[in-house]
Amino acid sequence: MLIRTDRDGLQHPIASEITPQGVYQDRRQIMKWMATGVAGAALASWAQREALAQQIQKPGKHAALASTRSTAAGAVTMEKVTEFKDASSYNNYYEFGTDKGDPAQNAHTLKTTPWTVEIEGAVKKPGKFALEDLVKLAPQEERIYRLRCVEGWSMVIPWVGYPLARLIEKVEPTGNARFVEFLSLADPKTMPFVGSRVLDWPYAEGLRMDEAMHPLALLTFGMYGEVLPNQNGAPVRLVVPWKYGFKSAKSIVKIRFLEQMPKTAWNKAAAQEYGFYSNVNPNVDHPRWSQSTERRIGEDGLFAKKRKTLMFNGYEPQVGQLYAGMDLKKNF
Ligand code: MTE
């Protein structure tokens, strides 16, 4: 994956509203207490109410997508939400170019209607879902997740969607389904970089079945209360908050249930750098750079102190159990 540091910093000067360090640390402490259960129920519910009261700017650029705020563990944060303008202009979507600004500039050609998602493989009910039906399959929830990119930056984004598990239950996987593969659209007519040799298209990603069923894995249709902008993966993408951002495939057209671990686009491109699991892990460095810290887009200036990256991106209390007994250095 391309890494760029200095230029990125210059593209994202210090925002005027930076959460004061003290407030941030207090919040971190509260979240830690909540996670470890040290805080009493009263403190936990106070903190959760505070987090839920967080104002989310509605950009008003796209159709509204109604949802209710999720109160699921891990779906609420007291960290400051990244501004929409940053989340929608600093993207990785290689089908539209490799620079961070390319997707916002080029993805207007993506045609998101009509759209279908095909379900294949080891399921009792394979078939095609029209997007309109997929959207209505389960209640839409708003969930504020950290997204940590493998390149060393992060954002805090209010996504709208529902747990992927709702769709999986609906299609009834058979006993042979051990993995789930996600395939993105690869249309050379509307996606200028499909056909380039950057990656082997279509963009492909995968999860182990228990990861895919985890309540935090979100099938995502919107962000900031509106349908997804094209550059963020319209009309439907995945968000897997405890893994590096590249595990969250955009503009999904096919979901396959498999017995064998699927090959993924980044693993095919550089197996020694991008493993199948790719859980956020500050203790396992990328072969070319450290993963112990991160830069928060839109908030941290070029010279600001970086944040420490948290194990499983801070979702260890929720997902740690999925990897009990696994060597995470080997299974990176
Ligand atoms: N999905 C597709 N189809 N193509 C991509 O290039 N990039 C991934 C992921 N999903 C990518 C993709 C990477 S590297 C990241 S960090 C996230 O999308 C970025 O999501 P965002 O632009 O909405 O922040």
Side-chain angles (χ1 to χ4, degrees):
M1 213 163 289
L2 304 178
I3 181 149
R4 19 192 60 231
T5 47
D6 293 6
R7 272 189 51 201
D8 296 346
L10 293 174
Q11 281 166 0
H12 291 275
I14 304 169
S16 52
E17 266 183 79
I18 294 177
T19 310
Q21 186 75 4
V23 173
Y24 173 74
Q25 275 165 353
D26 279 358
R27 290 174 175 183
R28 286 282 277 268
Q29 190 54 56
I30 290 166
M31 296 313 279
K32 250 191 221 156
W33 286 339
M34 285 173 70
T36 54
V38 170
L43 178 57
S45 69
W46 167 81
Q48 195 160 60
R49 271 203 312 277
E50 283 287 300
L52 285 171
Q54 202 171 179
Q55 282 299 314
I56 290 171
Q57 157 214 19
K58 302 267 187 279
K61 289 185 177 172
H62 305 89
L65 183 57
S67 63
T68 51
R69 279 276 180 97
S70 173
T71 53
V76 178
T77 178
M78 297 182 78
E79 287 183 65
K80 187 175 178 290
V81 166
T82 299
E83 286 193 32
F84 174 81
K85 69 171 169 46
D86 288 322
S88 61
S89 65
Y90 189 92
N91 302 102
N92 274 334
Y93 197 166
Y94 276 33
E95 290 85 334
F96 292 102
T98 53
D99 275 355
K100 297 289 175 268
D102 286 348
Q105 198 153 33
N106 299 334
H108 58 91
T109 53
L110 175 67
K111 199 169 157 271
T112 57
T113 47
W115 193 275
T116 52
V117 177
E118 200 169 353
I119 310 289
E120 280 185 6
V123 288
K124 290 192 191 123
K125 296 182 173 166
K128 281 187 181 176
F129 281 93
L131 185 74
E132 300 71 41
D133 299 328
L134 199 60
V135 166
K136 287 185 285 193
L137 200 74
Q140 297 283 341
E141 299 174 18
E142 182 165 68
R143 295 176 163 218
I144 306 177
Y145 284 161
R146 281 181 291 278
L147 178 112
R148 167 63 158 82
C149 183
V150 73
E151 294 162 325
W153 49 267
S154 62
M155 301 196 197
V156 179
I157 299 182
W159 302 106
V160 181
Y162 55 74
L164 174 65
R166 297 292 88 78
L167 171 62
I168 296 179
E169 288 154 4
K170 187 88 183 165
V171 299
E172 299 181 23
T174 67
N176 291 336
R178 293 179 55 234
F179 293 92
V180 192
E181 182 187 42
F182 305 90
L183 298 171
S184 299
L185 179 72
D187 175 16
K189 289 199 287 294
T190 54
M191 299 171 136
F193 275 66
V194 166
S196 78
R197 291 166 58 192
V198 190
L199 285 175
D200 191 5
W201 312 100
Y203 193 94
E205 258 311 331
L207 294 172
R208 212 169 58 188
M209 194 64 179
D210 58 342
E211 298 179 318
M213 288 296 291
H214 192 280
L216 285 184
L218 198 70
L219 193 64
T220 304
F221 302 88
M223 61 189 231
Y224 299 81
E226 300 182 0
V227 301
L228 286 169
N230 288 358
Q231 62 268 33
N232 290 91
V236 57
R237 68 174 292 174
L238 203 62
V239 180
V240 191
W242 69 96
K243 292 178 178 281
Y244 292 117
F246 69 88
K247 295 296 292 179
S248 298
K250 294 179 168 181
S251 308
I252 294 169
V253 290
K254 197 174 277 193
I255 301 179
R256 278 207 284 235
F257 291 78
L258 306 169
E259 193 163 3
Q260 305 295 331
M261 183 182 277
K263 288 240 178 282
T264 67
W266 280 107
N267 188 255
K268 277 195 263 182
Q272 70 289 359
E273 302 193 2
Y274 308 109
F276 177 81
Y277 286 95
S278 288
N279 292 310
V280 175
N281 189 341
N283 309 315
V284 177
D285 288 341
H286 184 282
R288 291 185 280 133
W289 59 84
S290 161
Q291 291 292 21
S292 63
T293 60
E294 67 199 55
R295 186 169 61 84
R296 184 64 50 84
I297 296 298
E299 292 186 7
D300 294 346
L302 188 53
F303 302 107
K305 203 163 168 276
K306 289 189 171 185
R307 288 159 202 260
K308 273 195 169 18
T309 288
L310 303 174
M311 188 65 202
F312 296 114
N313 202 20
Y315 301 98
E316 186 167 17
Q318 289 83 36
V319 303
Q321 199 49 37
L322 292 175
Y323 309 100
M326 258 176 84
D327 180 345
L328 297 178
K329 283 205 165 73
K330 224 166 105 195
N331 297 287
F332 63 91

